[in-house]
Amino acid sequence: MSVPHRPPTNSLQSRRSPLLVFAGQSNRPLAQAICDNLGVPLGRSETVKFTNDNLIVHYEESLREGDVFIVQTFSTPVSDAIMELMLMIDAAKSASAGRVTAVIPYYSYARSDKKDSPRISIAGRLVADLLQEAGADRILTMTLHAPQVHGFFKVPVDHLSADLVLSEHFKKCVPDAHDGVVLAPDAGSIKRASQIARRLDSGLAMIDKERLSDTEVRPRALIGDVKGKTVFIVDDEISTAGSLVETVNIAREMGAKDVYVAVTHGVYTGPAIQRIAGLDVTQVASCNTVHVPESKIEGANGRLAVLDVAPLFANAIRNIHTGDSVSTLFS
Ligand code: R5P
């Protein structure tokens, strides 16, 4: 008896994994902006905190075989943000997601990348271990405090740079930016400063800092010439703005004409906003990797600006989904 030939039906053919984007609570405006750029809806999920402080995460739509991206930045309350992300990764894997990428615009624990005093944890590596243990297949992040933190992960990491966004911003603010000087606040930021100076075709200077104790640093000298020049200060982040105040003061003492500041992560903790409000600078800009509430923007005396990196994240997500190069986005 012959078996009748049946052509394959669409339902039996393998389908490409659908692109699904979800977000934790830490930076939903950025997640929404990324989705708007991608032209996909932000996935529906719910996070509830019980009275005993435990979190529960619930996806309100199917993730089966999906190419899932979960956007969660590590901003205050950081421990809740990390826990929520781990629960979301774990729940996505349990719900049969095909692949899970943790999109972490600001990986705050990157600052803890070495054993610089006895009996401490290298928390940047520990958090990487936890995310992988939860089931993250890939990581997408931006401007790690030190690029080698990338190596704490065994899964693939796409490490985006905000250099293009920062330098385009300076060019918009100061059309003759090439006559200015990019100032690195310390030796650790000289490579970033040099890349931005190349994009602006401007000069380059750096501050030599003296470490007084584990928690105290003092600027020793400014290497380079800023006299009568527009100075562009760049850094990975502003937290308390202590480093920024020192950097601006020394630039002014050395005769800087105008000072513009642009960093990737505007964390603005403790006295930061008050310090920026009283700072002798034209503007302090940071990217929306961390959500800056309106109250902080108002408190900074009109000096704060927010730069949008959602298009960059959206392009990276699109390229990861389609298997195209992500490094091409940096040029
Ligand atoms: C230091 O190594 C970093 O690049 C930043 O300059 C620092 O994290 C900023 O912290 P704060 O604003 O508290 O001085």
Side-chain angles (χ1 to χ4, degrees):
M1 195 172 79
S2 67
V3 178
H5 172 72
R6 274 209 203 124
T9 64
N10 281 343
S11 61
L12 290 179
Q13 282 167 352
S14 72
R15 284 187 309 154
R16 176 179 229 155
S17 304
L19 169 61
L20 302 172
V21 181
F22 292 90
Q25 306 302 304
S26 63
N27 195 345
R28 291 188 70 87
L30 175 64
Q32 185 59 62
I34 291 171
C35 286
D36 293 346
N37 276 274
L38 283 168
V40 301
L42 180 58
R44 286 177 290 116
S45 67
E46 185 191 37
T47 300
V48 174
K49 190 179 236 187
F50 289 115
T51 50
N52 66 356
D53 249 10
N54 286 9
L55 296 177
I56 183 169
V57 161
H58 170 232
Y59 289 102
E60 293 169 342
E61 56 191 274
S62 172
L63 286 74
R64 197 168 283 275
E65 300 306 325
D67 191 11
V68 174
F69 292 80
I70 304 170
V71 182
Q72 180 79 321
T73 213
F74 291 173
S75 56
T76 306
V78 174
S79 301
D80 274 5
I82 293 172
M83 188 66 200
E84 185 187 21
L85 176 58
M86 288 197 296
L87 294 174
M88 290 186 83
I89 295 168
D90 185 54
K93 294 300 267 196
S94 302
S96 303
R99 178 173 71 170
V100 176
T101 301
V103 181
I104 309 171
Y106 172 52
Y107 187 76
S108 62
Y109 271 107
R111 284 179 76 164
S112 175
D113 62 348
K114 58 189 157 307
K115 203 155 181 188
D116 49 10
S117 66
R119 299 178 294 282
I120 63 163
S121 163
I122 300 175
R125 196 261 308 133
L126 173 64
V127 174
D129 288 349
L130 293 171
L131 295 170
Q132 290 167 117
E133 190 55 38
D137 297 302
R138 308 183 61 92
I139 305 290
L140 173 61
T141 189
M142 180 172 258
T143 315
L144 292 166
H145 176 64
Q148 58 270 27
V149 169
H150 189 141
F152 289 165
F153 293 89
K154 291 192 188 76
V155 296
V157 176
D158 288 299
H159 182 194
L160 301 180
S161 160
D163 290 357
L164 183 61
V165 175
L166 304 190
S167 44
E168 289 304 309
H169 169 71
F170 285 143
K171 279 188 203 166
K172 247 184 240 157
C173 293
V174 184
D176 54 355
H178 54 271
D179 291 332
V181 175
V182 177
L183 177 58
D186 53 35
S189 46
I190 189 70
K191 207 167 164 192
R192 182 179 310 116
S194 143
Q195 272 159 4
I196 292 177
R198 246 175 287 154
R199 286 186 189 275
L200 298 182
D201 196 20
S202 70
L204 178 65
M206 74 165 264
I207 289 180
D208 176 30
K209 272 187 191 163
E210 182 181 19
R211 184 158 287 280
L212 303 175
S213 71
D214 279 355
T215 52
E216 263 185 299
V217 287
R218 181 173 63 198
R220 229 165 43 150
L222 192 152
I223 302 163
D225 183 16
V226 297
K227 196 162 182 196
K229 306 258 170 114
T230 296
V231 168
F232 304 105
I233 297 173
V234 293
D235 210 343
D236 57 334
E237 67 174 72
I238 296 172
S239 185
T240 63
S243 311
L244 179 62
V245 170
E246 287 168 4
T247 308
V248 170
N249 287 347
I250 193 164
R252 286 291 184 193
E253 278 164 31
M254 302 305 279
K257 185 174 74 165
D258 308 305
V259 179
Y260 288 81
V261 180
V263 304
T264 308
H265 312 295
V267 189
Y268 307 128
T269 60
I273 294 299
Q274 214 181 340
R275 283 174 169 166
I276 290 169
L279 211 52
D280 192 4
V281 296
T282 307
Q283 190 191 64
V284 175
S286 58
C287 304
N288 52 351
T289 54
V290 174
H291 177 63
V292 183
E294 208 50 48
S295 58
K296 286 192 179 178
I297 294 180
E298 280 164 15
N301 239 349
R303 295 222 162 82
L304 278 194
V306 178
L307 310 177
D308 187 14
V309 287
L312 198 46
F313 274 95
N315 287 338
I317 289 173
R318 187 181 293 115
N319 286 17
I320 291 169
H321 179 63
T322 54
D324 288 309
S325 166
V326 171
S327 64
T328 50
L329 303 176
F330 302 144
S331 48

